[in-house]
Amino acid sequence: MNPNRVDFLVDLAYGLVILLSVALILLVGTGVGVAFGIGTLVSYAIHVVWKMARFDPEWMTEEVTEKVEETITEEVTEEVTESVEQTVAEEVTEEVTEKVEQTVTEEVTENVERTITDEMNDIIEQLEEVNQRVDRRPRSDELDEMQRELTTDKDGNEDEAKR
């Protein structure tokens, strides 16, 4: 005999007896049907206790313990995962933002300083070139003197050269 088949047949028989008690309540009368139904339920409770006693008592506690462990593990894992993800996301965002701002600020400052320095050096060089050209040009008093020299003739006669 297979114990599973026997359990199934016994459960089926109890179900049929309970159904019979309901039919007796409807057909014979409430007193007889209720008495039969109560007797059936009591015997079914005894049957369930006997079934449970057949099994290893540790089995039930192990099953309950495993279910509780699984439930707690799932809940704790979900909560910890969410908390860690949120915390890590916030901290990483803050850190990355700070680092990016710091790096960008440093690089931009350095690039601006370098560019300004290069531009200033170029402007200074151009100014020095312009100053050198200006220094090479004759001054206005020198130009006046050169003009007077051109207007005078070779003999030093200014009047004849003007004519």
Side-chain angles (χ1 to χ4, degrees):
M1 283 189 160
N2 188 348
N4 288 332
R5 284 189 190 150
V6 171
D7 285 340
F8 172 73
L9 292 174
V10 169
D11 289 340
L12 185 63
Y14 276 110
L16 290 174
V17 171
I18 291 173
L19 186 62
L20 179 63
S21 71
V22 171
L24 285 174
I25 290 173
L26 293 174
L27 295 175
V28 174
T30 307
V32 174
V34 170
F36 187 76
I38 289 175
T40 303
L41 289 176
V42 169
S43 66
Y44 185 69
I46 292 170
H47 169 72
V48 168
V49 169
W50 170 77
K51 257 185 167 177
M52 297 308 281
R54 253 182 3 156
F55 292 114
D56 181 17
E58 288 294 316
W59 172 79
M60 288 302 286
T61 55
E62 287 175 10
E63 285 294 317
V64 170
T65 304
E66 287 178 14
K67 285 291 185 189
V68 168
E69 283 178 1
E70 287 175 12
T71 304
I72 289 176
T73 302
E74 289 174 7
E75 290 176 3
V76 167
T77 301
E78 288 175 13
E79 288 181 21
V80 167
T81 301
E82 290 174 9
S83 175
V84 166
E85 286 176 353
Q86 184 179 6
T87 304
V88 167
E90 289 173 0
E91 289 180 6
V92 166
T93 302
E94 290 174 10
E95 226 174 280
V96 166
T97 302
E98 289 176 13
K99 287 287 186 182
V100 166
E101 286 177 355
Q102 182 181 6
T103 304
V104 166
T105 302
E106 288 175 0
E107 288 185 12
V108 166
T109 302
E110 184 179 309
N111 286 340
V112 166
E113 287 177 354
R114 188 179 326 121
T115 303
I116 289 175
T117 302
D118 291 346
E119 291 294 320
M120 290 300 294
N121 287 338
D122 288 345
I123 290 171
I124 289 172
E125 287 177 11
Q126 290 174 359
L127 281 173
E128 287 176 354
E129 288 176 9
V130 167
N131 283 339
Q132 288 175 0
R133 279 192 238 138
V134 167
D135 286 345
R136 282 186 266 150
R137 287 187 177 171
R139 294 185 311 260
S140 62
D141 61 336
E142 290 177 342
L143 283 174
D144 288 341
E145 187 177 313
M146 285 174 60
Q147 188 175 12
R148 271 188 256 141
E149 287 177 5
L150 288 175
T151 56
T152 58
D153 66 348
K154 293 181 184 177
D155 295 336
N157 196 352
E158 229 175 280
D159 291 333
E160 289 179 17
K162 286 183 184 177
R163 290 186 210 161

